[in-house]
Amino acid sequence: MSAATEILAHRNEALDAPVHIGAVSLRVRDPAGLTAFYRDAIGLSVIEQDADHAVLGAGGEPLVKLEAGAQHPSSAAGLFHMAILLPSRGDLGNWLQHAAQTSVPLEGASNHLVSEALYLSDPEGNGIEIYRDRSRPEWPRLDGGRIKMATERLDLDALLRDADGRAYAGMPDGTVMGHIHLRVGDVAQAEGFYRDALGFEVMVHYPGASFMATGGYHHHIATNTWHSRGAGPRRDDEAGLASFELVARDDEAHAALSRRLTASGGDAASTVDPWGNRITLRG
């Protein structure tokens, strides 16, 4: 398999769906400092930057947007983590090698059966997952065909053996925002919004959490109440998640999602969930 074919194959696990996740926007206190972190520690490239905002991504694709204006700490609801999907296991090994060499602190590492993931937070406390997907035929299934996920120990030594040993050059072309995981006040209410109003399918349940997707992916959107049960709406000037994009695959999917956004109480281009998390339709 050529490198270009491998990138395309891995992109398709998350992006070959009627709707997937685009850029995640964060409201921050220190745009310059956070820009340096996402550039140097995470390995994204700066696409745009001025005193009050920055756009970072990979291969010219915007993935993280930073905007000044955080006036209050994030409340219980909001971002649990945004998940940056790398094209291959070797790319994940390369990033882990970079993190080890530059003392980027990790908070967790998990084998989820469908994927392998590393976890950390940025300097303002926004959660980040960096992961790679196993190919869809490798995903274990339960009786009835539903996807099986778990949280098992990830062998970091084995992952490092897949690194290429070269100086880290940043996140490669083909890196995308694979999913977003939100803290909410009630999982059933979250399903009522993201499944019933916006059209996502529930793929997996964990205790206190729900994982939803389009196109048979393991999850594009997850919600949990692990530390936020009963949380109410967020304020507009809170630190943390400002908004995230939904990206439609084609004109038909775009029109259908636009109608759903309007019916959910928003307009043709955006809406908010019950906790004030803003969702925008790209394009």
Side-chain angles (χ1 to χ4, degrees):
M1 180 184 290
S2 70
T5 302
E6 184 180 12
I7 287 172
L8 181 60
H10 283 274
R11 282 175 61 91
N12 283 347
E13 301 300 357
L15 272 63
D16 190 14
V19 177
H20 62 84
I21 304 300
V24 175
S25 297
L26 302 176
R27 190 178 298 108
V28 303
R29 296 182 179 85
D30 180 11
L34 268 288
T35 299
F37 174 83
Y38 282 96
R39 180 193 65 213
D40 301 337
I42 302 301
L44 298 178
S45 300
V46 178
I47 298 171
E48 298 176 16
Q49 183 179 11
D50 62 25
D52 294 323
H53 95 292
V55 178
L56 300 99
E61 174 73 10
L63 300 179
V64 178
K65 299 181 179 181
L66 307 173
E67 57 186 61
Q71 300 297 317
H72 299 281
S74 180
S75 58
L79 183 70
F80 187 65
H81 61 240
M82 56 183 162
I84 299 171
L85 173 59
L86 295 173
S88 72
R89 191 172 201 265
D91 293 316
L92 188 62
N94 289 342
W95 189 85
L96 178 60
Q97 176 179 268
H98 157 72
Q101 292 174 343
T102 57
S103 300
V104 176
L106 296 184
E107 298 172 353
S110 296
N111 172 12
H112 292 304
L113 307 184
V114 297
S115 63
E116 295 178 308
L118 305 170
Y119 296 94
L120 67 158
S121 295
D122 73 19
E124 295 193 9
N126 297 295
I128 303 164
E129 175 182 341
I130 299 173
Y131 76 113
R132 73 98 181 181
D133 273 330
R134 290 187 167 90
S135 65
R136 200 168 295 209
E138 295 178 277
W139 296 354
R141 303 278 173 170
L142 300 168
D143 292 343
R146 295 184 70 84
I147 293 169
K148 179 181 179 181
M149 293 174 60
T151 300
E152 299 179 352
R153 185 183 69 85
L154 180 60
D155 186 338
L156 296 182
D157 291 334
L159 183 57
L160 282 171
R161 288 195 290 272
D162 275 353
D164 61 23
R166 293 181 292 185
Y168 193 62
M171 290 191 162
D173 292 0
T175 299
V176 301
M177 191 63 70
H179 64 268
I180 189 166
H181 194 148
L182 303 172
R183 304 189 312 263
V184 299
D186 183 85
V187 168
Q189 188 179 9
E191 288 185 357
F193 180 81
Y194 287 102
R195 178 193 62 205
D196 301 338
L198 298 193
F200 286 79
E201 179 185 358
V202 176
M203 305 301 292
V204 177
H205 280 124
Y206 273 17
S210 179
F211 297 76
M212 294 167 276
T214 71
Y217 190 54
H218 51 75
H219 66 296
H220 291 108
I221 295 174
T223 62
N224 78 67
T225 57
W226 297 329
H227 302 289
S228 56
R229 187 176 303 277
R234 305 174 69 238
R235 291 171 291 192
D236 290 339
D237 56 359
E238 283 186 15
L241 182 65
S243 65
F244 65 93
E245 293 177 337
L246 297 180
V247 183
R249 177 171 57 191
D250 52 32
D251 289 345
E252 181 180 359
H254 189 282
L257 182 55
S258 183
R259 289 192 295 270
R260 285 182 175 275
L261 293 175
T262 302
S264 73
D267 56 36
S270 68
T271 192
V272 293
D273 75 8
W275 298 276
N277 298 305
R278 178 158 294 278
I279 301 125
T280 62
L281 176 57
R282 183 194 293 180

